Amino acid sequence: MVQSTASVILRDIRKSFGAMEVIKGIDLVVEAGEFCVFVGPSGCGKSTLLRLISGLEETTSGVIEIGGRDVTDAEPSARGIAMVFQSYALYPHLTVRDNIGFGLSLAKLPKDTIRAKVAAAAEALQLTPLLDRKPKALSGGQRQRVAIGRAIVRDPQVFLFDEPLSNLDAALRAQMRIELSDLHRKLGATMIYVTHDQVEAMTMADKIVVLNGGRIEQVGSPMELYNAPVSPFVAGFIGSPKMNLYDGKAAGEACATYGIRPEHLRLTADSPRWTGTVRHVERLGADTIVYLDVPGLGEMVVRADGEQFPRVGSSCGVAPLPGREFRFGPAA
Amino acid sequence: MSLRRNMARQRNIGIVALIFASVIFILPFVYIFLMAVKTKQEAALFLFSWPQQWQFWQNLVDVVKTRNYMLLLAYFNSTVITVGAVAMLVIFGAMVGYVLQRRPSGWNRVIYGCILIGLMVPPAVVPTIWVLQGLGLFKSIYGMILIQVAYGLAFSVLLYRSFISTIPRDLDEAAIIDGATPWQVFFRVILPLLKPVTVTLIVVQSIAIFNDFTNPLYYLPGKENVTVQLTLFNFQSQFQSQFNLLFMNILLVTIPPLLVFIFFNRQIVAGMTAGAVKG
Ligand SMILES: Nc1ncnc2c1ncn2[C@@H]1O[C@H](COP(=O)(O)OP(=O)(O)OP(=O)(O)O)[C@@H](O)[C@H]1O
Ligand SMILES: [Mg+2]
């Protein structure tokens, strides 16, 4: 079931709702077969950008190309895309079979072809026993799979996902992440995936696009973003727990913002760079997350190994690993 | 102890309410039925009494045969008007409600204003007749259908609009991505989901239109245009003293709406309470 695939190219895309500009000029190339994730805080325009690519929303200016073809003014159905919605958007009055086959029946395909394609998609997603149920008789994960099945049968070149996992519980989300990655490998189609969960972005993406306020902040592979964030915004967004970010002057550095990741700090007694009071300790087994109050800097999060349990209220020395510090911008 | 007493009290209240309701709703029916099977002389007494002589079949045949089977013609006309008007109310009500809810524009306020006016301002008969005459629709079944649609449309648009607002827009968009044209989105996704409202609307409107007396009286004069409620009017003047036949006629005219109601009763209740998209 290998599918055709296509690149997606955005050239200076802008979108305004009334007087408010939501997408402020986006240039992006998504290679054919790539798993591209849009991340960013709520309201930064991720969904809007995805809807522009899908054709549900018209661009104010700019050009969208899919598979080398200018589709800026094309109908959604003529773009070779399929979309999976956060709410799944299954047709409540149709059975799973008819939900998956809806697009095919609109395209007036022969009944046998439809049946065969629906059966193949259902087989791939383990939906075969559920084909005659209505959506309301399905669990969240099953609905999710039906929505994906509805996308697959259309043989799209590009899959668009808008926060497809956010309605699932943590365990199911982890499982669906793996299933989606498998699906991507199996189909080889281009996938564009919107999320505000940086774990989803890090685990699934070939390419992450960090959006902020309608602009691209940085584009790169997960490890590029982790190792070389271009701005405090990206640095704070990628990685968990969040990077510690301080005003440069307060940290005694010649830069606007100084950043150090919790995993790149170690607790040490001899010649610490900072000393703080332990406010809270989270034991995760493999690691211990320590929250310190450092005078002059504020809160500092340290990821220590699982054997270390500093007492709450005690005083602790901290030192950064050399070469792992980030300095953003010139000093003010 | 007090719980049991409470339950007993609740049951008693329920029984009283039931008796009360049956007196109000059933007794008139019983009265009509008893009158309808009496002889002419006995019916003229207007007593709530058991008929001394049963004349059910005889009265039935008399009523149906009267004036060259006028009642059958009336059934036909009323059915045509009801089916035509209700079909248009459903289709246009749902369409207008859909566009009004989904596509906000500057015109929405104006359209809303018109709908509220349609709901509140009582129709004026004489100007309406002028309009109908101008259009060449006066005294025609089509004119009557359009009148019923005009009177009922505001209500059905409001009903549909509020129901459609509970259908997530994602569904429309999913259908568009699946390649549906706007018409297909409406007829294959939205309209099927509106079934609960549609059933409610069909029942309420078809009973109202079928039972309508005044509008056909104003707008549909002429012997060949008679509707069921107007057959009562004709009977009363012709059989000044034949109340048994009049009541038999009432009985016959009441049956179709009653059937509709009994048939759809369960769906109506479901329709009043359901949202479009369940869990
Ligand atoms: N149809 C619309 N009309 C007006 N403003 C809109 C419309 N759709 C989105 N916006 C605005 O555009 C901005 C971006 O919205 P968008 O839905 O793309 O955010 P998002 O990044 O997907 O956020 P979230 O993570 O919460 O889903 C928001 O400020 C929103 O209010
Ligand atoms: Mg969104």
Side-chain angles (χ1 to χ4, degrees):
Chain A
M1 218 169 46
V2 171
Q3 299 192 322
S4 56
T5 173
S7 61
V8 178
I9 299 174
L10 309 181
R11 289 188 216 283
D12 196 25
I13 296 292
R14 286 168 194 277
K15 174 68 182 173
S16 305
F17 291 110
M20 187 178 63
E21 190 166 53
V22 174
I23 301 293
K24 299 166 183 165
I26 290 212
D27 287 284
L28 179 68
V29 177
V30 181
E31 305 291 348
E34 209 167 37
F35 198 117
C36 175
V37 175
F38 294 172
V39 285
S42 191
C44 69
K46 307 180 293 290
S47 301
T48 307
L49 190 56
L50 198 73
R51 291 165 59 82
L52 288 172
I53 298 172
S54 73
L56 288 172
E57 218 65 80
E58 275 179 40
T59 53
T60 307
S61 72
V63 176
I64 301 173
E65 285 175 22
I66 296 179
R69 199 163 52 95
D70 183 348
V71 295
T72 315
D73 299 316
E75 291 292 316
S77 54
R79 294 184 177 205
I81 51 118
M83 188 157 169
V84 176
F85 293 81
Q86 180 174 1
S87 63
Y88 317 138
L90 302 181
Y91 311 118
H93 59 298
L94 300 179
T95 59
V96 168
R97 184 191 311 277
D98 293 339
N99 260 287
I100 296 177
F102 186 74
L104 303 177
S105 77
L106 288 179
K108 301 241 158 50
L109 260 59
K111 287 236 160 56
D112 294 340
T113 319
I114 297 180
R115 198 167 312 127
K117 284 191 157 206
V118 170
E123 193 59 47
L125 295 163
Q126 296 133 44
L127 286 171
T128 312
L130 309 174
L131 277 177
D132 292 311
R133 293 213 199 152
K134 293 274 179 67
K136 67 166 175 259
L138 300 179
S139 73
Q142 291 165 339
R143 285 180 206 186
Q144 174 69 71
R145 278 204 279 271
V146 176
I148 294 171
R150 193 170 61 183
I152 290 179
V153 287
R154 303 190 54 238
D155 287 334
Q157 297 175 310
V158 180
F159 284 83
L160 307 175
F161 297 90
D162 191 352
E163 308 203 20
L165 305 187
S166 57
N167 286 344
L168 305 178
D169 64 43
L172 202 49
R173 213 179 303 161
Q175 183 196 333
M176 288 303 294
R177 278 207 301 265
I178 296 171
E179 284 186 24
L180 279 176
S181 295
D182 283 347
L183 190 72
H184 175 238
R185 212 165 307 124
K186 203 157 59 181
L187 299 178
T190 313
M191 295 194 173
I192 301 181
Y193 187 104
V194 165
T195 181
H196 56 247
D197 178 354
Q198 62 95 18
V199 177
E200 282 175 24
M202 292 296 281
T203 51
M204 295 196 284
D206 297 321
K207 175 188 274 176
I208 297 181
V209 178
V210 182
L211 293 170
N212 186 17
R215 287 204 177 80
I216 291 183
E217 193 82 18
Q218 188 173 1
V219 179
S221 72
M223 284 325 281
E224 276 166 24
L225 297 196
Y226 179 81
N227 288 325
V230 298
S231 66
F233 180 84
V234 177
F237 208 84
I238 302 292
S240 171
K242 253 172 74 114
M243 184 188 283
N244 298 296
L245 290 167
Y246 303 108
D247 184 63
K249 212 186 295 163
E253 299 279 344
C255 60
T257 308
Y258 171 83
I260 178 77
R261 294 192 188 277
E263 53 269 42
H264 298 148
L265 288 168
R266 63 196 166 84
L267 301 176
T268 173
D270 46 283
S271 66
R273 171 140 182 213
W274 300 286
T275 308
T277 320
V278 178
R279 192 165 55 77
H280 183 67
V281 177
E282 283 178 354
R283 270 173 290 249
L284 303 179
D287 335 272
T288 305
I289 312 290
V290 182
Y291 295 79
L292 297 168
D293 272 329
V294 178
L297 282 183
E299 177 175 89
M300 179 173 284
V301 182
V302 180
R303 180 181 206 146
D305 64 50
E307 308 325 55
Q308 290 180 295
F309 308 121
R311 248 183 334 103
V312 173
S314 68
S315 177
C316 248
V318 182
L321 294 183
R324 291 297 204 161
E325 296 152 294
F326 294 99
R327 296 179 179 82
F328 302 103
Chain B
M1 182 54 196
S2 87
L3 184 72
R4 192 177 301 167
R5 200 168 344 136
N6 235 345
M7 271 164 62
R9 210 179 76 187
Q10 278 182 4
R11 200 183 49 215
N12 291 343
I13 292 176
I15 290 173
V16 170
L18 267 181
I19 293 173
F20 192 67
S22 24
V23 168
I24 288 187
F25 291 108
I26 308 238
L27 277 192
F29 262 113
V30 174
Y31 183 67
I32 291 171
F33 181 76
L34 291 179
M35 286 295 278
V37 299
K38 286 175 180 174
T39 60
K40 181 178 158 189
Q41 291 78 8
E42 206 186 345
L45 299 174
F46 283 106
L47 293 175
F48 197 163
S49 63
W50 201 251
Q52 277 151 4
Q53 203 184 336
W54 281 67
Q55 267 204 18
F56 180 80
W57 194 246
Q58 178 64 42
N59 288 353
L60 182 74
V61 171
D62 279 354
V63 168
V64 173
K65 273 187 173 169
T66 308
R67 284 222 193 166
N68 197 17
Y69 295 97
M70 190 188 233
L71 187 63
L72 297 187
L73 177 66
Y75 263 124
F76 177 76
N77 286 342
S78 283
T79 308
V80 169
I81 293 172
T82 307
V83 171
V86 169
M88 285 167 82
L89 278 173
V90 166
I91 293 291
F92 292 136
M95 283 182 168
V96 175
Y98 179 58
V99 173
L100 216 52
Q101 205 281 323
R102 284 295 200 253
R103 204 183 303 159
S105 79
W107 287 99
N108 280 15
R109 279 169 167 271
V110 181
I111 297 170
Y112 247 136
C114 291
I115 288 172
L116 287 183
I117 288 173
L119 214 53
M120 291 184 302
V121 177
V125 174
V126 176
T128 311
I129 290 179
W130 289 341
V131 172
L132 284 179
Q133 277 173 335
L135 294 170
L137 288 172
F138 189 52
K139 295 192 194 176
S140 83
I141 296 265
Y142 308 110
M144 193 63 235
I145 290 177
L146 289 180
I147 294 268
Q148 298 288 14
V149 172
Y151 285 2
L153 196 59
F155 176 67
S156 75
V157 167
L158 284 186
L159 205 61
Y160 274 119
R161 202 207 79 101
S162 65
F163 195 80
I164 287 169
S165 66
T166 68
I167 300 178
R169 207 178 277 255
D170 283 359
L171 281 186
D172 306 35
E173 294 180 341
I176 291 172
I177 295 223
D178 269 342
T181 62
W183 288 93
Q184 285 172 324
V185 175
F186 178 77
F187 280 106
R188 300 199 43 179
V189 178
I190 301 298
L191 198 56
L193 291 177
L194 296 177
K195 197 175 124 207
V197 201
T198 304
V199 170
T200 310
L201 201 72
I202 287 177
V203 173
V204 171
Q205 291 287 6
S206 64
I207 291 177
I209 294 174
F210 194 85
N211 281 344
D212 196 359
F213 177 75
T214 47
N215 289 318
L217 185 66
Y218 298 147
Y219 305 118
L220 206 55
K223 223 162 62 185
E224 68 286 1
N225 289 332
V226 68
T227 63
V228 284
Q229 295 295 324
L230 291 185
T231 58
L232 301 178
F233 189 66
N234 289 348
F235 271 112
Q236 205 171 12
S237 54
Q238 194 189 357
F239 304 101
Q240 210 52 284
S241 48
Q242 293 201 325
F243 287 104
N244 54 341
L245 296 191
L246 178 64
F247 276 92
M248 176 55 84
N249 198 351
I250 293 176
L251 194 64
L252 292 179
V253 165
T254 317
I255 286 173
L258 199 65
L259 285 182
V260 169
F261 191 79
I262 291 172
F263 190 69
F264 282 114
N265 186 15
R266 211 139 30 112
Q267 278 105 314
I268 300 178
V269 178
M272 299 281 196
T273 53
V277 183
K278 295 189 200 84

